[in-house]
Every structure is written in C-alpha cells, then in structure tokens.
Amino acid sequence: MNREHQKKIAAEKATEEIQDGMILGLGTGSTAYYALLKIGQMVKNGLDIIGIPTSDGTEKIAVEQGIPLSSLSVYSKIDLTIDGADEVDAHLNLIKGGGAALVREKIIANASQRILIVVDESKVSHIIGTSFALPVEIVKFGWEATQREVNKICKRSDVRGGIVNPLITDNGNYILDCHFDGIPKPEFVEQQLNNIPGVVENGIFVKLADQVIIGTSTGIRYMERSQ
Ligand code: 5RP
C-alpha cells in the first residue's frame, strides 16, 4: 500500500466518528484533504455538520466541497477535529506546521473536545524532532533578533522559503524551521520557544491529540492517549 493510500484510509477512518449536529475542526494538509473530500460526500448525502477550517487553504477546499462553515467567533467549542501531523510519538506528542497552519491548528485544537490525528506510517517516530524540523511562527518585526534567540534552543533554523522570498503565513508572519536532534522534553521546549518575544506559536502539540489513526502498508493502526 503506497503512502498516498495510507493517508486516504487513515483520513476516511477518522470520518466514521462524525455524527449529525457536530461542529467539526477541519485540518490542513495532504492527509486531512482526504477527510475533507469524504466529509463533502457525507454532506451531499445529508450529513448535518458545521466545519471550522484551520487555514485559508482548507476553507477554500471546504467551500468547493459544499461543507457549511462557521468560525470560533460563533462557536466556542468544537466537538471533533480531524487533522494531520508531521511527526508523532507513542505519547501522542506531535510536530505540526508543515503546511504553515500551526497557529490556527493549535487554536482549533485547544477549543476541541476530541482530536483525531491522521497520518501515514512514515510520521511515527520514537522521539519527535528527529525526522522533521519544528516549525515556529514568528512576527516579521525584528525577525533576525527572534531567530537568534530561537537558535539558542535548537541546533539551527531556516526561514521557510528563504530570506529573499520568505513564505508568509495566513496570519502574515514568517516560519522558522528549527532543527533538533530529537525533542525528548516537548512540553518544556514548547514553553521555552513561546517565551521568546516575537514568537507567535510553535508546532509542538502536547496532550492535545486523543487518538492517532495510522494508515500502514497492512491496514489501520491506532495509538491512544493514556490519560
Ligand atoms: C499543517 C499541518 C499538517 O497537518 C501537517 O503538515 C501534515 O501534512 P500532510 O498530511 O500533508 O503530511 O500541520 O500545518
């Protein structure tokens, strides 16, 4: 089973948890995309839900799929969020933000009663931060000073897109991709980074995911949060 198929089966499995009347957090990325397609089909077949997207890109896809949308201005609680991740460990610590949507993803995650993370098997790691650079969103003002502070915590960081043509997030900010030799204490590093003036948010998600649904070469595998 190739990687694309693994993403699809994981995402579609997660949509089986959706029930009529739910407010749904709609994730960003190539795996969450398959969930959006499936939710679109379910809505066409009469499912009554409202989605809250985690990025402008997801909003556009959701509109194309006919998924009714709203926002956190209207709803303070989200029943269920289905989102992807870039790296996942056995404690359900995550790295997110490969699609540059980490700020909105974390806000939506924080407002969600239940979070299902959908990944292919390449995303599973012993310790997060070993195979994927941690995205950190920073404001443009004084970004070089912010990067110098961030570099005291990681090995090195790169401005996503490069200094000449940096990627601009949906929130108008830059992303630093920060390299580590693993992040054994993710909660600590998450706080350390967020204490730096100029850092908006980082892609470490701790104690947020309830279940990880993994598409593998032999089918679906699950990892659950223990507490
Ligand atoms: C976007 C994200 C994505 O969920 C993450 O990058 C996974 O994406 P993909 O499913 O395309 O590998 O965090 O900010």
Side-chain angles (χ1 to χ4, degrees):
M1 216 184 282
N2 69 25
R3 196 170 159 202
E4 215 47 42
H5 191 67
Q6 293 178 14
K7 292 179 188 189
K8 186 168 187 283
I9 59 169
E12 290 185 350
K13 178 54 78 176
T15 63
E16 292 176 13
E17 300 294 316
I18 298 172
Q19 291 173 12
D20 254 339
M22 278 185 164
I23 308 301
L24 284 184
L26 305 175
T28 294
S30 59
T31 315
Y33 174 72
Y34 288 112
L36 294 175
L37 295 187
K38 187 71 188 177
I39 295 166
Q41 277 174 20
M42 292 161 80
V43 166
K44 282 181 194 90
N45 291 332
L47 177 75
D48 176 24
I49 53 94
I50 290 170
I52 301 187
T54 52
S55 64
D56 292 348
T58 290
E59 179 174 340
K60 186 166 174 285
I61 296 164
V63 168
E64 284 163 8
Q65 297 306 313
I67 301 171
L69 296 180
S70 188
S71 73
L72 284 174
S73 322
V74 180
Y75 294 98
S76 56
K77 277 280 157 232
I78 293 172
D79 297 301
L80 177 71
T81 288
I82 300 174
D83 202 351
D86 301 297
E87 214 176 340
V88 179
D89 72 17
H91 303 287
L92 273 56
N93 299 312
L94 317 173
I95 286 184
K96 288 185 50 54
L102 64 107
V103 172
R104 297 188 190 185
E105 289 173 332
K106 204 179 268 191
I107 293 170
I108 297 265
N110 195 51
S112 299
Q113 258 143 14
R114 188 148 179 257
I115 301 173
L116 304 179
I117 295 296
V118 290
V119 294
D120 65 82
E121 61 189 348
S122 73
K123 305 286 186 66
V124 180
S125 191
H126 183 51
I127 295 176
I128 59 167
T130 44
S131 65
F132 199 86
L134 172 68
V136 177
E137 184 157 335
I138 62 169
V139 298
K140 287 180 188 171
F141 178 85
W143 69 267
E144 296 94 335
T146 306
Q147 185 179 33
R148 281 193 287 273
E149 292 301 312
V150 167
N151 286 350
K152 292 177 185 168
I153 295 171
C154 63
K155 277 198 311 182
R156 66 159 224 281
S157 63
D158 306 312
V159 177
R160 191 176 298 178
I163 293 170
V164 176
N165 191 22
L167 176 137
I168 308 294
T169 69
D170 289 348
N171 315 305
N173 300 314
Y174 294 159
I175 299 265
L176 293 177
D177 287 309
C178 302
H179 299 266
F180 289 83
D181 289 325
I183 305 176
K185 293 182 180 164
E187 208 162 356
F188 177 67
V189 174
E190 181 189 17
Q191 293 308 318
Q192 259 192 319
L193 285 166
N194 283 355
N195 279 341
I196 298 172
V199 169
V200 178
E201 189 49 85
N202 69 81
I204 298 177
F205 283 49
V206 176
K207 294 187 183 137
L208 284 170
D210 294 289
Q211 187 181 55
V212 177
I213 304 178
I214 310 161
T216 79
S217 52
T218 52
I220 299 281
R221 189 160 75 80
Y222 300 91
M223 293 198 300
E224 309 279 344
R225 184 139 65 91
S226 44
Q227 45 89 25

